[in-house]
Amino acid sequence: MSRPRVLIYRPVDDSGASHAELAAAGCEVVVAAPNAERAELAALARAADALLGATFRGIIEREFLAISPNLRIVAKYTIGVDDVDVDAASALGVLVTHCPTEANWGGVAEGAIALILTLLKRIRERDAKVKAGGWREPPFYGTYLGRRADGYGGITIGIVGLGRAGSRVAELLAPWRARVIATDPYVEARKFEQLGVERVDLDTLLRESDVVTLHCNLTAETRGLIDRRRLVLLKRSAVLINTARGRVVDLDALCDALAAGAVAGAALDVLPEEPPPRNARILGFGDRVLLSPHMVAANQGGTLGAAIPWATAATLAALRGEMPDNVYNAEAAAKWRTRFGGKSLLAR
């Protein structure tokens, strides 16, 4: 029996231990260069039984999936799967798995809080002032988040998407005593109550929030969710935080809103085009816009390291003809079982 071929199209395991684990289980392991282009990856993907990796350079669409007629699984080290045409994978009977590890979504939540505080407390402006030889003139006033006993009511923070990351943001905000509101049509009312947040619709959230922080997946429904119409609903003093996916926000519309003074500021870890071109408008707003290179979850001891054993285990399960954990496209399960269920490619 020939060995099943596993292409690691974007590796994250610098130690190589997981690659060795796959090889020891009987796999032919092909590790692409970290910055391999699509054409090179396409050549390596021929006859692959499994694709394994972090974010793909472009989209793993039907054409790329079809390079490997016996492909069983696309195992992602990441939480997001927006770089995979999930509908095409499901139609072909290919499983897509992901890794919603706490190291990742918890890191996103902590990073979102850091971005919020950096903007509201004007950390960068104060630092630059002192380093330039200045002191308190002119003063850079920050924003006090929570309500106080002296009658100050605090600000309103709106969370769009109350999944893992959004829920952790709500938990982290609780001691600050700010008013927290949230919207998520796919989460039951009990979860809002448990987190102590007020459930509202999206338009109400945008109108009432001083800070809007985005924590939704990128889907056909959420692509361009924060568009020109919805940006108009924001307070002129509001700031927008995006640690979800770049295409959730209409960036051109956001730039127009910033230029017109219709929005006070934004902090973006993600952009529609990454990295942005050097002449991108979003680069020209100074301290009103805080940018990060899509690594809000990148922390020592965290990031994707915790996902390596999850994705490795999912790959091996699929190659044994077993349904792996963390399947994103559950709708593919029936067809997958018909094609591959109980049919192991690994020697026992």
Side-chain angles (χ1 to χ4, degrees):
M1 182 171 62
S2 61
R3 295 187 296 164
R5 183 180 177 90
V6 177
L7 169 60
I8 303 178
Y9 60 83
R10 186 177 172 195
V12 299
D13 185 1
D14 294 335
S15 74
S18 64
H19 310 166
E21 179 182 353
L22 290 165
C27 300
E28 176 193 359
V29 181
V30 179
V31 182
N35 295 315
E37 297 294 337
R38 180 186 174 84
E40 181 182 351
L41 293 174
L44 295 174
R46 297 191 185 284
D49 298 284
L51 302 178
L52 174 62
T55 304
F56 191 76
R57 293 172 66 87
I59 300 292
I60 300 178
E61 82 291 72
R62 177 181 286 270
E63 180 183 1
F64 194 92
L65 293 166
I67 291 172
S68 313
N70 295 314
L71 184 67
R72 297 188 174 201
I73 186 172
V74 179
K76 299 293 307 298
Y77 291 122
T78 57
I79 294 178
V81 297
D82 46 285
D83 56 347
V84 181
D85 185 336
V86 176
D87 290 339
S90 298
L92 293 169
V94 177
L95 297 179
V96 180
T97 62
H98 66 150
C99 292
T101 64
E102 186 175 8
N104 197 326
W105 55 259
V108 170
E110 291 185 355
I113 295 294
L115 295 176
I116 291 169
L117 292 175
T118 299
L119 283 182
L120 296 188
K121 299 299 184 181
R122 305 189 72 179
I123 304 299
R124 294 170 299 156
E125 296 94 323
R126 294 174 179 182
D127 173 72
K129 183 71 173 179
V130 175
K131 289 177 177 176
W135 197 239
R136 291 184 173 180
E137 299 296 334
F140 291 109
Y141 286 103
T143 299
Y144 198 100
L145 274 69
R147 66 184 182 278
R148 300 193 303 254
D150 62 8
Y152 176 77
I155 67 170
T156 297
I157 300 175
I159 302 173
V160 179
L162 210 57
R164 299 177 183 89
S167 294
R168 178 61 62 84
V169 168
E171 292 171 348
L172 293 174
L173 286 170
W176 292 78
R177 300 197 300 173
R179 178 190 179 217
V180 180
I181 61 179
T183 186
D184 193 322
Y186 301 104
V187 171
E188 59 186 13
R190 187 186 342 177
K191 186 170 185 179
F192 289 80
E193 296 167 3
Q194 290 171 341
L195 292 168
V197 302
E198 179 184 345
R199 186 173 197 169
V200 297
D201 60 55
L202 178 58
D203 285 2
T204 299
L205 182 145
L206 295 174
R207 280 193 295 265
E208 297 186 4
S209 296
D210 299 288
V211 176
V212 174
T213 180
L214 305 178
H215 299 285
C216 50
N217 293 328
L218 179 63
T219 65
E221 183 180 6
T222 62
R223 187 179 299 272
L225 181 72
I226 307 302
D227 57 10
R228 200 169 298 275
R229 182 190 74 81
R230 290 196 168 107
L231 285 166
V232 170
L233 300 177
L234 289 169
K235 301 177 183 179
R236 296 178 70 87
S237 58
V239 296
L240 177 69
I241 314 296
N242 188 8
T243 57
R245 286 293 184 267
R247 296 191 184 279
V248 172
V249 176
D250 181 334
L251 191 62
D252 287 336
L254 176 60
C255 287
D256 288 343
L258 287 163
V263 178
L268 310 173
D269 179 59
V270 289
L271 293 166
E273 184 177 356
E274 297 177 350
R278 294 304 305 162
N279 62 347
R281 289 179 67 197
I282 197 64
L283 303 179
F285 292 97
D287 288 335
R288 294 177 62 201
V289 172
L290 173 60
L291 297 175
S292 172
H294 199 155
M295 56 183 302
V296 71
N299 299 290
Q300 294 293 336
T303 319
L304 299 180
I308 293 170
W310 289 31
T312 303
T315 301
L316 289 172
L319 295 177
R320 290 192 300 266
E322 302 168 1
M323 185 63 59
D325 293 333
N326 301 303
V327 174
Y328 186 86
N329 58 337
E331 64 276 12
K335 187 168 186 176
W336 188 89
R337 286 192 178 96
T338 299
R339 294 187 67 199
F340 305 117
K343 302 172 185 175
S344 181
L345 297 176
L346 301 176
R348 298 187 182 277

